[in-house]
Amino acid sequence: MSKIIVLKCVGHNPKDFELDKVVAVQFGLIKDLFHGDFDAESKIVVDVPVKFNSYIIGRIIEFCRNRASWSSDRAYWEQDFFHPCREPNQRKRKELIAIMEASEYLCMESLVELTTQSLANYLKGKSPLTIRSLWKVEGDLTAEEEAKALAMGVAKLGH
Amino acid sequence: MGASHSALHKDHLSSPSPYCLGDLPEDCVALIVENLDPVEICRLSKLNRAFRGASWADFVWESKLPTNYEAFLERILGGFPENLQKRDIYACLCRVNSFDQGTKKVWMDKRSGGVCLSISAKGLSITGIDDRRYWTHIPTDESRFASVAYLQQTWWFEIDCEIDFPFPAGTYSIFFRLQLGQSGKWFGRRVCNTEQVHGWDIKPVRFQLWTEDGQYSSSQCVLTERGRWSHYHGGDFVVRESRSSSSTKIKFSMTQIDCTHTKGGLSLDSVIVYPSSCKDRLNRF
């Protein structure tokens, strides 16, 4: 039996995910566990923070497992995986952000890149006001701080 | 047999409403805004604290700066300003900076980061420029350099220039900004005197361009546009990635040396080197 990593998700819908080496090495956070002083035959359990529920972890593992077969038709699986649409609804937005945060935590550079790119695409061309209402962002800067941030911004970039 | 591995908790775990854009920590936001263009990043900095902080992250702006920005700053400012964040350096490069005794101006396009270089008539080698029978320098507010060179008439029309500049890697186009006619103001209104314009319709002018690494281009064009400033394309050149850490030497010229006829009535403002991808924006000076 070769080394197995188990991702233990708690909270709503608790679930354990057993990862083989092929999948586990894609997570920067835990791939080093394979090089530790553990027995060749061992099972390592990693507690996933309660913030990342089993559904999100499941989606990420699905990405890892299918990456090889999807790499030849990247545009297609990106669309399929992230379910983007012109104006994503609340649930899809939350899912995208959750996957981004989880993959950042797990140190999965490629998935972080894809999710942050997708999120950036949704922000492009939209005014802060529109983003606030669409994405439910609360402004926590004072009026003075806001004015200062704006003055330091585009205007300062020159002509 | 297993070993329990305690999770490495990070700061953002205690967030009350998970998966909300507004609750993302600064470092996550920075990863997102890195994919936006500089103008967008600055605009979103007022969204909330995390966005404001992210909009100042050095690594975000490092990716927007030209790879050889240090050599670039050295060339145009004669030194490297210290204690500046990368965003400030970007803003500095987006301003119009004069160098070479004011004969050249350079700036970076704030959206694309493309470098634009403008060389005034005084920074070019114009055959006969010292002879007032042929050429004069005329002050005007129609030029970025407040002065243009005006040609009354000549047999031998030749403009050359050799420059050595650390262009970041990319493709660039050269344009001559000139006008057939002499502009002036008459009771506050713009007028353009085209009476002295002659000889340009007989034979075309020739543009040539050489680079140190062996690129060459040549083209011909008949000058026709009377009474307004136009950009005439003088050639393209490519700066390759490996060369972008050092300076790029290029030489270009515009000639009409057919001595069977005279030509004149031409105003020459400047030559501009522009990233080829941005050239559609040229008339928006």
Side-chain angles (χ1 to χ4, degrees), chain A residues 43 45 47 51 94 97-98 101 104-105 116-117 120 125 128 131-132 139-140 145 152-153 156-157 159, chain B residues 1-3 5 7-8 12 19 21 24 28 32 35-36 40 44 46-49 56 87-88 94 107 110:
Chain A
K43 189 167 148 176
V45 178
D47 292 321
K51 181 173 181 168
K94 282 183 188 288
I97 293 173
E101 285 201 81
E104 207 253 331
Y105 176 83
T116 52
Q117 180 72 66
I131 293 172
R132 285 225 177 107
D140 54 3
E145 283 173 324
M152 294 279 282
K156 211 180 177 218
L157 279 187
H159 59 106
Chain B
M1 178 119 178
H5 188 93
L8 303 161
H12 55 275
Y19 316 146
L21 192 71
L24 284 177
C28 281
I32 299 173
N35 296 297
L36 298 173
E40 294 261 14
L44 296 184
K46 71 173 232 181
L47 209 55
N48 68 9
R49 276 184 207 285
W56 279 94
R87 178 169 148 164
D88 286 321
C94 288
W107 67 95
K110 63 190 176 194

Side-chain angles (χ1 to χ4, degrees), chain A:
Chain A
M1 182 178 106
S2 53
K3 218 176 282 184
I4 289 180
I5 306 270
V6 173
L7 283 181
K8 195 178 172 70
C9 296
V10 298
H12 184 63
N13 268 350
K15 192 173 173 183
D16 288 355
F17 293 95
E18 237 179 62
L19 312 178
D20 55 28
K21 189 173 181 181
V22 167
V23 172
V25 292
Q26 295 182 52
F27 298 107
L29 188 72
I30 58 178
K31 70 175 179 167
D32 292 334
L33 292 177
F34 280 104
H35 307 296
D37 281 339
F38 300 110
D39 295 339
E41 294 184 359
S42 64
K43 189 167 148 176
I44 307 161
V45 178
V46 177
D47 292 321
V48 174
V50 69
K51 181 173 181 168
F52 305 125
N53 62 38
S54 54
Y55 172 72
I56 296 299
I57 300 297
R59 292 286 276 147
I60 293 179
I61 292 171
E62 189 190 330
F63 171 84
C64 295
R65 290 218 168 100
N66 290 288
R67 213 167 131 195
S69 63
W70 281 340
S71 61
S72 56
D73 198 358
R74 191 177 155 127
Y76 175 75
W77 69 250
E78 267 184 37
Q79 225 170 334
D80 191 44
F81 187 77
F82 295 123
H83 320 295
C85 51
R86 282 265 156 229
E87 293 304 327
N89 64 33
Q90 269 300 87
R91 190 185 70 79
K92 288 170 186 175
R93 272 187 217 115
K94 282 183 188 288
E95 184 178 317
L96 189 56
I97 293 173
I99 291 175
M100 186 213 59
E101 285 201 81
S103 48
E104 207 253 331
Y105 176 83
L106 293 165
C107 304
M108 273 200 74
E109 215 178 283
S110 51
L111 194 49
V112 170
E113 211 180 285
L114 284 168
T115 46
T116 52
Q117 180 72 66
S118 289
L119 282 165
N121 287 339
Y122 288 129
L123 296 179
K124 252 181 213 163
K126 294 193 172 66
S127 70
L129 219 60
T130 309
I131 293 172
R132 285 225 177 107
S133 71
L134 272 179
W135 293 81
K136 307 282 182 286
V137 176
E138 269 184 44
D140 54 3
L141 296 168
T142 64
E144 197 187 309
E145 283 173 324
E146 257 190 43
K148 198 173 169 198
L150 211 56
M152 294 279 282
V154 183
K156 211 180 177 218
L157 279 187
H159 59 106

Side-chain angles (χ1 to χ4, degrees), chain B residues 77-285:
Chain B
L77 298 178
F80 190 75
E82 287 177 18
N83 303 324
L84 275 189
Q85 286 187 267
K86 299 282 188 289
R87 178 169 148 164
D88 286 321
I89 294 178
Y90 192 90
C92 171
L93 293 177
C94 288
R95 289 193 285 271
V96 178
N97 289 294
S98 286
F99 64 108
D100 282 1
Q101 292 88 47
T103 60
K104 297 189 181 72
K105 287 184 195 279
V106 69
W107 67 95
M108 210 163 67
D109 176 67
K110 63 190 176 194
R111 266 198 195 273
S112 63
V115 168
C116 312
L117 172 70
S118 184
I119 306 160
S120 75
K122 290 184 178 165
L124 305 167
S125 291
I126 302 174
T127 304
I129 191 65
D130 295 324
D131 193 329
R132 288 186 66 84
R133 289 175 297 168
Y134 307 138
W135 290 91
T136 45
H137 287 292
I138 298 179
T140 171
D141 58 8
E142 294 188 357
S143 165
R144 212 184 265 285
F145 298 97
S147 155
V148 298
Y150 177 71
L151 171 70
Q152 278 101 258
Q153 72 159 34
T154 189
W155 297 93
W156 187 285
F157 176 82
E158 180 168 351
I159 299 169
D160 297 296
C161 187
E162 206 167 309
I163 55 173
D164 189 355
F165 191 79
F167 287 102
T171 309
Y172 297 86
S173 302
I174 290 187
F175 294 90
F176 285 76
R177 184 171 186 257
L178 44 89
Q179 172 178 245
L180 293 183
Q182 185 181 0
S183 319
K185 284 246 163 58
W186 196 65
F187 291 104
R189 288 166 65 181
R190 184 192 190 260
V191 292
C192 192
N193 183 350
T194 55
E195 279 172 12
Q196 287 186 320
V197 176
H198 69 281
W200 303 106
D201 47 353
I202 298 173
K203 291 262 173 68
V205 296
R206 188 160 182 221
F207 297 103
Q208 292 184 89
L209 187 148
W210 301 261
T211 68
E212 198 183 21
D213 62 357
Q215 297 171 59
Y216 171 73
S217 78
S218 169
S219 59
Q220 295 191 94
C221 175
V222 176
L223 304 184
T224 50
E225 212 54 66
R226 287 182 177 227
R228 47 174 238 148
W229 293 100
S230 301
H231 291 95
Y232 286 88
H233 185 220
D236 297 329
F237 64 98
V238 174
V239 175
R240 293 179 218 290
E241 200 60 58
S242 57
R243 282 204 63 81
S244 62
S245 54
S246 55
S247 246
T248 304
K249 276 205 185 81
I250 60 164
K251 205 169 89 161
F252 53 86
S253 72
M254 178 181 172
T255 53
Q256 206 332 307
I257 55 175
D258 180 331
C259 290
T260 60
H261 68 283
T262 66
K263 53 251 28 158
L266 178 141
S267 299
L268 170 69
D269 169 29
S270 56
V271 169
I272 184 162
V273 182
Y274 223 67
S276 297
S277 52
C278 300
K279 65 183 174 197
D280 299 329
R281 283 191 250 151
L282 249 188
N283 288 324
R284 266 210 309 137
F285 240 19

